[in-house]
Amino acid sequence: MPVVIRHATLPLDFLVVGAGIGGLAVAYVLSTAGHRVRVVEKHDLNVPGGGHRVPPNLSKILRQWIGEEELMKVATRNVGTPFHRLRTDETVGYMRWKPVVLAETGGEFLLMHHDDLVQILYELATKAGARIDLNTPVASIQPGSGNNPRPRVVLVGGETVSTDLIIGADGCQSIVRQVVLDEQDRPTPGGLTAYTGVVKAEDMLDDPELEALLEAEEWPLWMGEHRCFSSHPVRGKKEYFFGIYSWRGLDGLEQGGEENWDELVPANTALTETDGPMLKKLVARIPHLIRTQYMTREEEIDTWVDSTSRIVLLGDAAHPSYPGGSHTASMAVEDAVVLGALFSHLRTMDQVPSFLSAYQELRQRRTALVTAADLANAQLVVLPAGPDADARDANMHRRQDEWDDEGVLKAQFDEIREIFGYDAGDAAEEWWISWGRFHRTAREQANYSRVDLSYSSVTIQSL
């Protein structure tokens, strides 16, 4: 139930820091629930972007929000994943995304461009009533106090915004997170450097192999030692995205880059002598690639809500994802759906701490599970030569309907099927029905104790 269909009894002022996928999604769902939402974003919407896999747990949300027809104007259905050897382009195996399996999840596996997803969410949020201020960086954030519990955001332009709640949807390098944790962020390199690029369709049509790649409704993946690359069509096959993933410098490339998507590097700097013809042909068709580095924290971010219960983290600010994962966008949107569904039930300010606590409880384990699965899949396709890689290739070479119960890939498919079937709205509503609606605030308790319950004043009607 990703669509919020009720207005909160008590509408609040929300300030969202960050107009990425998570920030725009939460602006939409909160506005739909009747809250007043303002979003501030330090950039405009024309930032470098690449491709997104849109798994069923996300596509079914988007389909409910904008409808099948609008969604498929910018998305491509993914019918399968061919696995190739990076050095030779030889095909090792094929995973078909069977419609009968995906039907059980309630969604489809789609392929999209980041910009198209952002534009969809931007239009949804603004039409729902959210105010979105682009090119509006934040200078500082001030939590509320006992006398004035409303937190404040000071913008670089000098404006101070007082609000009921602040949502930090400002990415891996979140400034809101530093306020929530009350400490400086100290990330360390996590062993992965990613290079991503987008090729225009017309620049692929002069090569039969590249044209076939563009026209295939697939998400192919090339496996190498400590290195891989994957690709897929975007913008309804008007462009083609690819990403190169270099692990721990063991493929001959030095690790580098920041934990953002701002750095451009010459495209050929991402190549090594082990790369096959297909990757080299794609790289030759664009001048630059975006470089980013996966960073880790010594400890998991275990607190998503500040001590005043007025500032909360969402998306990569709460659970930084790794570049190249299939669930970065879906986890941010799921966060938004859960938070919006919870706050659609708001009646009094006393409920806010329990809603924020429920939000973290519902989302933290889920995002940790999905990130772990993403990383495990990433490690599987960059194995060094040896028995483990041979066993992987043998499993991939089998036809899908011949996988045995102990097969490596079948176990992974069972796992991702569980991930794909998740419904964020249902998770929030289940918490509300089981726990939230029975929560009686201190004020309600006091009022209840003063009610005269004489039977003479009560009329009982049969239902």
Side-chain angles (χ1 to χ4, degrees):
M1 193 209 74
V3 179
V4 176
I5 57 175
R6 72 183 67 82
H7 273 208
T9 303
L10 177 64
L12 298 183
D13 294 320
F14 284 85
L15 183 73
V16 181
V17 181
I21 290 171
L24 293 172
V26 79
Y28 168 62
V29 293
L30 288 172
S31 297
T32 302
H35 297 288
R36 299 174 293 272
V37 183
R38 180 179 179 184
V39 183
V40 292
E41 165 59 46
K42 64 181 178 181
H43 299 302
D44 58 26
L45 297 182
N46 298 316
V47 296
H52 277 295
R53 271 83 69 197
V54 179
N57 46 305
L58 175 55
S59 70
K60 60 189 172 188
I61 295 173
L62 297 175
R63 189 178 62 218
Q64 289 195 35
W65 284 355
I66 66 171
E68 182 82 7
E69 182 178 355
E70 287 301 309
L71 181 58
M72 296 313 299
K73 287 180 180 179
V74 293
T76 298
R77 288 184 177 89
N78 176 26
V79 300
T81 298
F83 295 91
H84 308 283
R85 299 193 195 283
L86 177 58
R87 184 185 288 271
T88 64
D89 293 336
E90 173 192 356
T91 300
V92 177
Y94 191 92
M95 178 186 287
R96 183 170 301 280
W97 299 101
K98 291 186 174 181
V100 65
V101 175
L102 294 181
E104 295 178 8
T105 71
E108 297 179 287
F109 199 132
L110 305 179
L111 307 167
M112 293 182 65
H113 196 288
H114 174 84
D115 294 356
D116 291 329
L117 183 52
V118 166
Q119 190 61 40
I120 287 170
L121 297 172
Y122 177 84
E123 291 178 5
L124 284 170
T126 52
K127 289 178 181 177
R131 171 182 171 181
I132 300 175
D133 296 330
L134 304 176
N135 299 306
T136 307
V138 171
S140 65
I141 297 167
Q142 302 167 1
S145 61
N147 294 331
N148 183 7
R150 286 166 61 93
R152 296 173 299 282
V153 170
V154 180
L155 304 178
V156 169
E159 181 184 0
T160 298
V161 183
S162 176
T163 187
D164 290 311
L165 278 93
I166 295 173
I167 299 176
D170 50 339
C172 294
Q173 295 180 316
S174 170
I175 63 170
V176 181
R177 186 199 303 133
Q178 297 183 36
V179 176
V180 170
L181 300 180
D182 195 23
E183 62 182 31
Q184 290 293 314
D185 190 29
R186 295 182 178 86
T188 57
L192 168 67
T193 297
Y195 302 83
T196 61
V198 177
V199 182
K200 293 186 180 299
E202 56 262 33
D203 294 332
M204 300 175 67
L205 300 180
D206 63 338
D207 184 295
E209 289 185 330
L210 290 182
E211 183 178 9
L213 200 63
L214 172 69
E215 292 301 325
E217 296 180 343
E218 295 174 335
W219 165 39
L221 201 149
W222 285 257
M223 305 179 294
E225 295 189 48
H226 314 292
R227 175 179 181 82
C228 68
F229 98 89
S230 65
S231 64
H232 58 78
V234 292
R235 298 193 189 280
K237 299 184 181 179
K238 295 182 178 67
E239 295 179 353
Y240 198 80
F241 164 80
F242 68 96
I244 306 167
Y245 307 99
S246 168
W247 284 90
R248 302 182 185 88
L250 297 176
D251 61 351
L253 290 184
E254 291 186 8
Q255 296 286 290
E258 298 295 328
E259 194 180 23
N260 58 42
W261 300 94
D262 299 333
E263 182 186 11
L264 293 178
V265 298
N268 59 9
T269 61
L271 291 174
T272 72
E273 62 181 15
T274 65
D275 295 329
M278 195 69 76
L279 178 56
K280 290 177 180 177
K281 288 192 285 190
L282 285 171
V283 168
R285 280 159 172 77
I286 54 175
H288 297 97
L289 295 171
I290 302 171
R291 183 173 75 163
T292 186
Q293 186 168 192
Y294 173 51
M295 307 293 279
T296 59
R297 275 79 187 164
E298 185 174 344
E299 297 180 356
E300 180 185 359
I301 300 169
D302 58 0
T303 301
W304 295 6
V305 183
D306 82 320
S307 59
T308 69
S309 293
R310 293 296 192 98
I311 305 175
V312 62
L313 304 176
L314 181 145
D316 279 345
H319 43 85
S321 57
Y322 95 94
S326 295
H327 296 279
T328 303
S330 63
M331 291 301 99
V333 174
E334 286 182 4
D335 286 354
V337 169
V338 169
L339 200 61
L342 292 174
F343 275 87
S344 71
H345 293 287
L346 190 69
R347 301 188 309 271
T348 73
M349 287 301 296
D350 292 338
Q351 291 176 294
V352 169
S354 65
F355 283 4
L356 295 181
S357 177
Y359 158 71
Q360 179 172 341
E361 179 183 342
L362 290 170
R363 296 300 303 152
Q364 192 166 35
R365 181 181 178 277
R366 161 77 174 171
T367 56
L369 170 69
V370 171
T371 299
D374 251 353
L375 285 169
N377 290 334
Q379 295 293 333
L380 182 69
V381 296
V382 295
L383 293 173
D388 290 341
D390 292 342
R392 173 202 66 194
D393 293 353
N395 274 282
M396 288 180 172
H397 190 66
R398 293 177 181 173
R399 290 177 53 190
Q400 189 171 320
D401 57 8
E402 294 175 345
W403 286 349
D404 59 76
D405 289 340
E406 303 300 322
V408 174
L409 294 182
K410 185 181 186 304
Q412 285 194 324
F413 197 84
D414 289 342
E415 181 180 67
I416 61 178
R417 181 166 52 185
E418 178 183 351
I419 291 173
F420 288 170
Y422 178 87
D423 189 299
D426 285 351
E429 290 306 302
E430 182 179 344
W431 177 88
W432 171 254
I433 292 169
S434 299
W435 302 100
R437 67 192 178 116
F438 300 114
H439 170 79
R440 183 172 290 137
T441 66
R443 184 180 298 110
E444 289 175 313
Q445 292 268 24
N447 290 339
Y448 182 79
S449 66
R450 291 195 293 269
V451 172
D452 181 2
L453 294 180
S454 65
Y455 287 104
S456 61
S457 62
V458 177
T459 300
I460 300 177
Q461 296 178 338
S462 60
L463 300 178

